[in-house]
Amino acid sequence: MKMKVFFIPLLSFMVLISGCGKNLAANEKKESINHPVELKLGTKMPDESVEGKAFNLFANLVKEKSNGEIIVDVYAAELLGKGKTQIDNMLMGTQDMYGEGATYFDDFDSRVQASSIPFLFRDFEHFQHYNTGELGLEIHDQMISKGVRFLNTERNFVRGPYRVLLSKKPIKSVEDLKGLKIRSFESEFYSQAYESVGANPTVVAWTETYLAMKQNLVDAVTSPISLVWSMKFTEVAPYMTIIDEYPQDIVIAISEDKFSELSKEHQDLLIEAANEAGVEAVKLLEKEVEEHLKLMKEEHGIEIFEIDREEWMEAFSDFHEQVEESGVFPKGYLEKIKMIE
């Protein structure tokens, strides 16, 4: 009889504990919904730029696709620091993502520098096939092993969408480059490339280029067409040559540690959102460039020239051979790139 008396309270206690466990699990589930995963995305470009708009579109897509379970907070205009600083932040875990050109990740794999070699790639499609093919995937695997993953696997987030040369005198052929004082950024490859065809490259900070041209320190500058109007380059250099010397794209990189913490479902939707944002970015970019070109023609009377691309690729081929001999890339690497269909 005593055993029965003891058993009933014990059974009641077990039921109570079981119920508490269920309530606790329900509360944890409810808490996870009320407290979504927050990801910090740092960028260089301001929110009002086309790239800035695309990054915010990416954030909105992630929120929508995850039903609010993932929130991407965009920190534009280098609020989290310069490029390399933000990449270091990712590795340290103080921010989760960084959106910029792949060349910013050259410390992880020097082969990404191939993308900025003038006239190595035929066009953006060639460049995209490189990035999404065997050679590009080898680089990405190396990135992942060192703690960084590119979310936009289709590599369709175009920057530019093409590059132009702004100059004080018409530049129509490679011959016209001889003696030209052209602004260069801090890249040994880039300066040597233009030296190889007779130009006189001078390193000038991007933000100081307009003044440098106005003061005749340089006579020309290359730029993505999308940035020409905002930099007012055509005020001092009214001749525009469409050279598209190398293709450019934006990658949305995420810390591999953070990526591995997410569920497979959340990983997939981040990749999907990044690729969709790239498609929309191109549409926004093309529309804006069309508007800018109209303004440049109306207000600055610009003249636009196109080049014989085969002539320019041939002229820069000697430089490509110099790069091959430098040992920066594996032997025959640039030739492999040229052979990609």
Side-chain angles (χ1 to χ4, degrees):
M1 184 70 179
K2 289 181 181 179
M3 289 293 293
K4 290 181 181 179
V5 172
F6 175 76
F7 178 74
I8 292 171
L10 177 63
L11 182 61
S12 300
F13 178 73
M14 291 176 65
V15 171
L16 178 63
I17 291 296
S18 174
C20 288
K22 289 179 181 179
N23 289 335
L24 182 61
N27 287 336
E28 286 178 351
K29 184 176 181 182
K30 184 178 180 182
E31 185 177 358
S32 68
I33 294 173
N34 292 336
H35 295 84
V37 176
E38 290 194 37
L39 301 175
K40 278 187 180 179
L41 168 61
T43 75
K44 181 170 72 175
M45 295 300 178
D47 281 330
E48 62 270 17
S49 68
V50 167
E51 289 177 18
K53 292 173 183 175
F55 289 128
N56 282 292
L57 172 63
F58 165 70
N60 291 335
L61 285 170
V62 170
K63 183 178 180 180
E64 178 184 323
K65 290 176 181 293
S66 69
N67 294 316
E69 293 176 8
I70 302 179
I71 301 297
V72 175
D73 296 315
V74 180
Y75 294 81
E78 296 186 331
L79 282 175
L80 300 180
K82 299 292 184 183
K84 296 289 186 180
T85 298
Q86 294 204 41
I87 293 171
D88 289 341
N89 292 344
M90 286 172 56
L91 296 178
M92 292 187 296
T94 56
Q95 82 180 71
D96 307 298
M97 294 186 284
Y98 182 54
E100 245 306 317
T103 53
Y104 274 77
F105 297 87
D106 60 347
D107 288 342
F108 296 82
D109 194 319
S110 62
R111 290 175 293 179
V112 299
Q113 296 179 69
S115 64
S116 59
I117 295 177
F119 298 99
L120 175 62
F121 294 91
R122 295 184 298 274
D123 49 30
F124 188 83
E125 185 177 8
H126 179 198
F127 178 59
Q128 191 176 33
H129 287 173
Y130 162 69
N131 285 318
T132 58
E134 181 181 353
L135 297 182
L137 292 177
E138 285 178 3
I139 294 174
H140 197 210
D141 287 343
Q142 173 80 341
M143 294 279 184
I144 292 172
S145 72
K146 293 189 175 183
V148 172
R149 176 184 293 266
F150 295 161
L151 289 174
N152 42 335
T153 54
E154 295 179 11
R155 298 297 290 273
N156 56 5
F157 193 154
V158 183
R159 168 172 277 174
Y162 53 87
R163 291 181 63 83
V164 295
L165 173 70
L166 291 308
S167 55
K168 294 185 176 183
K169 67 175 185 178
I171 303 295
K172 301 178 182 179
S173 69
V174 176
E175 191 69 21
D176 295 329
L177 293 175
K178 290 184 177 178
L180 183 71
K181 293 185 293 183
I182 185 171
R183 179 263 176 184
S184 174
F185 50 91
E186 291 189 20
S187 165
E188 190 175 349
F189 278 154
Y190 195 78
S191 293
Q192 288 179 350
Y194 277 93
E195 285 175 354
S196 74
V197 292
N200 181 19
T202 303
V203 175
V204 177
W206 176 253
T207 53
E208 297 171 9
T209 302
Y210 173 88
L211 185 60
M213 286 202 289
K214 195 169 185 178
Q215 295 177 342
N216 296 317
L217 297 177
V218 293
D219 300 317
V221 59
T222 58
S223 168
I225 179 64
S226 58
L227 301 183
V228 173
W229 178 250
S230 61
M231 295 299 294
K232 302 180 181 179
F233 288 151
T234 49
E235 282 186 2
V236 289
Y239 298 101
M240 178 185 292
T241 307
I242 301 174
I243 59 172
D244 212 12
E245 57 194 335
Y246 57 80
Q248 293 180 277
D249 76 332
I250 301 296
V251 294
I252 300 178
I254 186 170
S255 157
E256 182 63 15
D257 285 344
K258 176 58 69 173
F259 187 78
S260 63
E261 291 176 3
L262 302 174
S263 68
K264 180 65 164 59
E265 180 186 359
H266 284 172
Q267 290 176 350
D268 290 344
L269 73 84
L270 281 174
I271 292 170
E272 184 179 314
N275 287 324
E276 285 185 25
V279 173
E280 293 305 314
V282 174
K283 293 177 183 177
L284 290 171
L285 194 58
E286 290 176 346
K287 181 181 178 182
E288 183 174 272
V289 165
E290 187 178 340
E291 294 170 354
H292 286 180
L293 281 171
K294 183 179 179 182
L295 290 169
M296 286 185 271
K297 289 175 182 177
E298 291 175 352
E299 298 191 20
H300 302 151
I302 64 166
E303 291 186 50
I304 302 176
F305 308 102
E306 294 190 12
I307 62 170
D308 179 339
R309 189 162 187 83
E310 289 187 9
E311 175 201 356
W312 287 57
M313 291 185 78
E314 177 63 29
F316 280 84
S317 62
D318 288 344
F319 170 69
H320 298 162
E321 291 181 12
Q322 293 176 31
V323 174
E324 284 278 19
E325 295 169 3
S326 70
V328 174
F329 300 98
K331 189 174 178 60
Y333 191 73
L334 300 193
E335 192 58 36
K336 284 183 179 180
I337 291 175
K338 291 180 179 181
M339 295 295 290
I340 295 172
E341 295 294 333

